[in-house]
Amino acid sequence: MPKPHDMGGEPNDEPIDQSDHQKMDWEMRADALHQVLGQKGIRRTDEMRRAMESLDPDLYRSLSYYERWTAALELLMVEKGYLTSDEIDRKVTQLDQGAN
Amino acid sequence: MSEGHDGEHVHPESGEELSVYARRAQAIEALMVEKGVCSTSEVDQMMNMVESRSPSDGAKVVAHAWSDPEFKARLLADPRSALTEIGYSLPDTTPHLAVVENTEQVHHMVVCTLCSCYPRALLGRPPDWYKSFAYRSRAVVDPRGVMREFGLELADSVEVQVLDSTADLRYLVLPRRPAGTENLSEAELAKLVSRDCMIGVTDPHVPEGVAAS
């Protein structure tokens, strides 16, 4: 049974939507953070792919592109011991409070 | 099947709340900075560099290859060192790059069925459609149908080769130089080379009046 990312040749009769959306700030920062961590050797593309491919199939299909990246980066950084999910939860709360 | 391509989970930058993942992305960056793994300015600089890359870089390379057959041969044989010659030094962490030439006999089209691998060093960030589930699924089974949607009707006699990118290997398509462009300068040629023809979903388009008859 192929995992959700492995979609080459899957039945799909949707036309290709050729419109491009304006990247949001957080998407551009997430993209840049990935590249920075890549240059430092902390995150390799094949590792990211493996993390992304391990996401729940329904989640994989429901997330936007950079949301998938973020979910995968969290998995990988927790796995490698850089961060814990609790820490991220707390930081999200802290940032939310700071923004209000 | 719902398609989670870019653009669905769009929230305004201010006023409304960012999505759960957007906030987690911000939290991850803040924590990495706090822990000294990277700095905010490194992320800023990288963002500027990513923004500065665009398909016009790839177009210059293609136009140079069209104008200089010896360079073209070197570009096809060893893209990294050929690019260095003309001032594009790819970072060491850049994955292997292959340049594939479209000819009268063979047309190449590039996809990343598994995700979104793309020659970002020469084309910038991939367009949303390249990352869409529709393109990833269809490119390998119906490339001619996909190309038709991009306005390219290939003759049956042309063989189509679809190249599936990987984390370690990216492809740039060297399109066919359009007929009637013999007298154009490199800068003029570069204007004919669109992002999409370097992915191989279409061919260079020559506006009326540009080509010599």
Side-chain angles (χ1 to χ4, degrees):
Chain A
M1 176 78 184
K3 286 185 172 180
H5 67 282
D6 190 3
M7 55 181 65
E10 260 186 21
N12 188 320
D13 53 13
E14 287 172 44
I16 316 281
D17 177 358
Q18 293 178 36
S19 62
D20 225 41
H21 89 285
Q22 179 72 38
K23 301 284 169 294
M24 298 173 60
D25 273 355
W26 82 265
E27 293 178 313
M28 293 194 286
R29 291 205 76 82
D31 190 313
L33 177 65
H34 274 81
Q35 314 298 330
V36 168
L37 296 178
Q39 282 194 346
K40 290 176 183 286
I42 290 168
R43 162 232 85 119
R44 293 200 317 264
T45 305
D46 60 306
E47 292 173 325
M48 275 300 291
R49 280 243 341 263
R50 199 254 309 142
M52 225 176 304
E53 290 161 11
S54 70
L55 297 177
D56 173 81
D58 290 337
L59 185 65
Y60 184 95
R61 287 179 184 277
S62 69
L63 297 184
S64 74
Y65 183 72
Y66 286 105
E67 288 178 337
R68 276 201 300 278
W69 273 33
T70 301
L73 184 63
E74 176 170 340
L75 268 174
L76 204 58
M77 291 302 102
V78 168
E79 202 176 275
K80 292 188 173 215
Y82 285 98
L83 301 171
T84 68
S85 287
D86 281 349
E87 247 178 339
I88 300 172
D89 289 342
R90 285 197 298 276
K91 184 52 86 179
V92 167
T93 309
Q94 191 191 329
L95 291 176
D96 281 353
Q97 285 165 351
N100 290 333
Chain B
M1 183 199 308
S2 77
E3 181 162 336
H5 57 69
D6 268 45
E8 279 194 355
H9 301 255
V10 174
H11 304 263
E13 289 291 34
S14 58
E16 278 181 49
E17 219 166 87
L18 286 168
S19 79
V20 171
Y21 286 93
R23 286 149 67 223
R24 288 191 94 66
Q26 291 171 338
I28 292 171
E29 183 191 338
L31 286 167
M32 293 305 241
V33 170
E34 274 174 30
K35 288 168 187 273
V37 176
C38 63
S39 69
T40 303
S41 66
E42 281 176 314
V43 179
D44 289 342
Q45 280 167 22
M46 182 61 78
M47 203 160 77
N48 290 336
M49 193 173 81
V50 171
E51 289 304 300
S52 72
R53 287 176 173 157
S54 78
S56 66
D57 293 320
K60 282 182 201 149
V61 174
V62 168
H64 191 54
W66 282 348
S67 309
D68 179 347
E70 287 175 11
F71 172 77
K72 183 175 94 174
R74 291 195 295 276
L75 181 69
L76 293 170
D78 183 355
R80 184 178 280 270
S81 59
L83 288 169
T84 309
E85 276 177 44
I86 57 165
Y88 288 99
S89 59
L90 305 180
D92 289 342
T93 46
T94 301
H96 188 68
L97 175 74
V99 179
V100 289
E101 184 183 17
N102 284 349
T103 65
E104 259 177 81
Q105 288 81 34
V106 184
H107 184 101
H108 300 87
M109 185 176 114
V110 181
V111 63
C112 178
T113 62
L114 300 177
C115 186
S116 58
C117 284
Y118 187 75
R120 290 167 64 120
L122 291 175
L123 300 185
R125 270 195 297 252
D128 287 346
W129 62 257
Y130 185 82
K131 306 181 281 190
S132 72
F133 294 172
Y135 185 69
R136 288 166 56 188
S137 300
R138 291 180 50 206
V140 287
V141 280
D142 182 24
R144 287 174 195 269
V146 169
M147 288 184 226
R148 214 169 284 130
E149 284 179 38
F150 284 86
L152 176 61
E153 186 74 55
L154 275 187
D156 288 345
S157 58
V158 179
E159 178 188 333
V160 173
Q161 289 195 2
V162 180
L163 300 164
D164 199 354
S165 314
T166 70
D168 305 311
L169 175 58
R170 316 286 162 95
Y171 298 96
L172 182 82
V173 174
L174 178 61
R176 287 175 67 194
R177 180 172 177 163
T181 58
E182 292 74 16
N183 297 325
L184 297 189
S185 69
E186 248 183 75
E188 289 167 325
L189 286 171
K191 288 185 196 150
L192 308 179
V193 184
S194 68
R195 174 194 69 201
D196 293 357
C197 72
M198 291 181 279
I199 306 175
V201 288
T202 189
D203 270 341
H205 172 68
V206 183
E208 255 177 70
V210 168
S213 52

